[in-house]
Amino acid sequence: MILKEAEVSKSTFYRYFYDKNDVLDQHFQAIYNNALKSVKVRSVADLLLAIMRISKEKPEMTRLFDMFGMNPYREFVYRYMRDRGKQLIEAAWGRSLTVEEEFHVDFFCGGGAKIIEEWTLGKRFANMTEEQAAEEIHKMTNPLYLFTLKKTE
C-alpha cells in the first residue's frame, strides 16, 4: 500500500527507509521537531512538558499508543526523549555522557515513555495536568540532571 500510494518502486523505498516502521518514525520525528520549534527547551523538565503536550494535542498520534504488540509510537517517544535529553545534558555539561550516565537517561526515558502513554490515554494519572506531571517528574529526577541551559540568541 505504501509503495502504491507513494508511487515509488520497492528499491526506491528501501533506499530511503529500512521498513514501514522507519517511515512512521520519520513522520513522528517531523511532527515533534516542528512542534518543538516554537517551544524553548532548555532543561529536561522543559523537554518532558513539551512531549506531554504534543502527545495530548495530537489525537491522531494518541490513537497510535493504543496498538497491540510492538508499539512503534511508544518506542519513538522513548527514543525521542532519550536522544533529545542526551543532547540537552551534553550541551549543559560540555562533554559526552559516560556509559553509566547514558544508562540513567535510557532507564528514565523508558519508564517515562510508558507513563506518558498511560497519561495520554487517560488510563492512569489522567487527573494531572501536563504541568503537574512534569513537576512530579522533575522532583524525582536525580539532581545531577537538573539544569537549565543558558539562553542562546
Side-chain angles (χ1 to χ4, degrees):
M1 279 177 32
I2 294 171
L3 298 175
K4 186 177 178 181
E5 187 70 27
E7 298 179 357
V8 298
S9 70
K10 196 178 220 180
S11 62
T12 299
F13 175 86
Y14 285 110
R15 184 177 309 136
Y16 295 98
F17 303 103
Y18 180 74
D19 58 16
K20 62 185 172 185
N21 286 333
D22 193 27
V23 174
L24 284 172
D25 201 69
Q26 290 193 27
H27 174 69
F28 301 152
Q29 182 88 27
I31 289 170
Y32 273 63
N33 287 344
N34 283 335
L36 288 178
K37 281 182 184 174
S38 62
V39 178
K40 288 185 173 53
V41 176
R42 296 184 5 232
S43 69
V44 174
D46 290 345
L47 176 62
L48 291 166
L49 180 58
I51 287 174
M52 292 181 86
R53 284 189 175 146
I54 294 166
S55 292
K56 199 71 154 192
E57 293 170 357
K58 301 284 185 191
E60 70 280 7
M61 293 175 71
T62 299
R63 286 190 299 275
L64 294 172
F65 270 135
D66 237 353
M67 297 173 69
F68 294 104
M70 190 189 110
N71 188 312
Y73 186 52
R74 184 185 324 124
E75 287 296 313
F76 167 77
V77 171
Y78 158 70
R79 283 191 314 277
Y80 195 84
M81 282 181 17
R82 179 197 65 207
D83 295 346
R84 291 293 298 258
K86 184 179 173 202
Q87 289 171 351
L88 283 168
I89 295 165
E90 288 177 343
W93 293 352
R95 65 171 175 80
S96 297
L97 298 182
T98 66
V99 171
E100 293 82 5
E101 291 162 347
E102 279 197 52
F103 181 85
H104 298 166
V105 171
D106 284 11
F107 184 84
F108 185 79
C109 292
K114 181 64 177 164
I115 288 172
I116 289 171
E117 172 189 359
E118 291 181 356
W119 175 81
T120 300
L121 294 174
K123 291 181 177 178
R124 297 179 68 203
F125 317 113
N127 60 334
M128 297 175 84
T129 66
E130 56 260 23
E131 291 87 358
Q132 289 171 319
E135 178 59 29
E136 289 305 313
I137 292 167
H138 187 75
K139 286 180 193 175
M140 65 182 171
T141 302
N142 182 325
L144 181 68
Y145 300 101
L146 297 178
F147 60 84
T148 302
L149 291 177
K150 295 178 178 134
K151 292 182 182 180
T152 55
E153 309 316 314

